[in-house]
Amino acid sequence: MAILKIARMGHPVLLRKCEPVADPGAPDIRRLVADMMETMEDAPGVGLAAPQVFQPLRLFVFRVPGGRATSDKDDTQQPNTVLINPTVELLGEERELGWEGCLSIPDLRAAVPRAKRVRYRGVDCDGQVIEREASGFHARVVQHEYDHLDGILYPMRMTDFRYFGFNEELNRATAAAQAAAQS
Ligand code: NI
C-alpha cells in the first residue's frame, strides 16, 4: 500500500470526464483502491476520486465518520466504501447548502448547494453491487465525489461566493460568533 500524491485544482486531470473501469477486479484496480483508501485516511478526508490521484477512471472511495452522520436513517456512519462505475440519481427537488472541502483545494471550504436525497449504485472490486439511498452529509459526499468523475469541482456548483473562505479564518469567525453569543 502507498500514500498517493493528490492533484490540486489547476491540474487538467481534474477537469477530464473519466473513463469507465473495464475490469473492477483487475489487480491494478484493487491496488489503486487500497492505496486510495489509505491516502484518504492519511489526509485525512472523507472522500477521494481516482482523478484526484491522476487516474482518470470512474471510481471513488468515501466514508461517513460517526461524528458527521445525522439522525436521518439514510445519513448514518459508513465504513470505507468504494464505488466503481457509479451512478447517482437525485431524489426529489429538495436542495440544501452545506460546507464542503476538497483534498484538491487545500485549506479552503465553501457552502455548496446539493440534493438532500440521492440513490447511488456501483460495484466493488468483487463485482458486488452496492445500492443505497442517502441523505444529508452521506448524500453530499457521494455527489461531491461523483462530480469529480465528470471533471466538476465544488466551486463550479457554488451559488453564493460569500460562503467561501480559508478554514483558518472561518474557524476564527465561528469561534468569535459563538463567544459573542455566550457573553
Ligand atoms: Ni473533492
Side-chain angles (χ1 to χ4, degrees):
M1 300 234 288
I3 307 288
L4 304 172
K5 182 179 159 102
I6 297 175
R8 290 184 303 170
M9 183 166 62
H11 194 289
V13 73
L14 295 172
L15 298 177
R16 283 186 56 170
K17 187 166 172 68
C18 297
E19 298 295 326
V21 176
D23 177 5
D28 59 334
I29 298 297
R30 289 178 185 273
R31 192 174 318 115
L32 174 63
V33 168
D35 288 346
M36 285 174 61
M37 299 262 193
E38 191 179 10
T39 303
M40 172 177 70
E41 288 186 358
D42 176 73
V46 294
L48 186 65
Q52 293 183 274
V53 292
F54 304 90
Q55 302 293 326
L57 295 168
R58 300 192 78 79
L59 75 87
F60 60 80
V61 298
F62 73 99
R63 57 182 176 158
V64 176
R68 303 304 295 269
T70 62
S71 55
D72 193 280
K73 71 174 171 54
D74 295 321
D75 191 18
T76 55
Q77 187 169 348
Q78 301 292 321
N80 284 359
T81 303
V82 62
L83 282 184
I84 300 171
N85 299 331
T87 59
V88 176
E89 179 189 354
L90 309 188
L91 301 178
E93 298 297 313
E94 205 173 347
R95 301 289 181 271
E96 59 188 5
L97 273 180
W99 290 100
E100 293 183 21
C102 180
L103 295 176
S104 294
I105 312 174
D107 302 327
L108 293 161
R109 71 172 180 261
V112 182
R114 298 283 184 188
K116 188 173 163 67
R117 300 190 60 81
V118 299
R119 179 183 296 118
Y120 63 84
R121 191 173 195 277
V123 297
D124 66 15
C125 291
D126 296 320
Q128 295 284 336
V129 173
I130 298 161
E131 184 169 14
R132 294 183 193 136
E133 287 193 14
S135 67
F137 186 75
H138 183 187
R140 176 171 299 278
V141 171
V142 169
Q143 290 172 85
H144 176 119
E145 298 311 325
Y146 184 84
D147 267 355
H148 276 296
L149 309 185
D150 288 333
I152 298 168
L153 300 170
Y154 76 71
M156 302 176 195
R157 295 287 191 192
M158 288 184 65
T159 49
D160 188 341
F161 285 85
R162 289 177 301 171
Y163 300 105
F164 193 16
F166 288 94
N167 286 322
E168 194 183 345
E169 297 295 346
L170 291 164
N171 293 345
R172 193 176 294 156
T174 303
Q178 282 171 352
Q182 281 161 11
S183 63

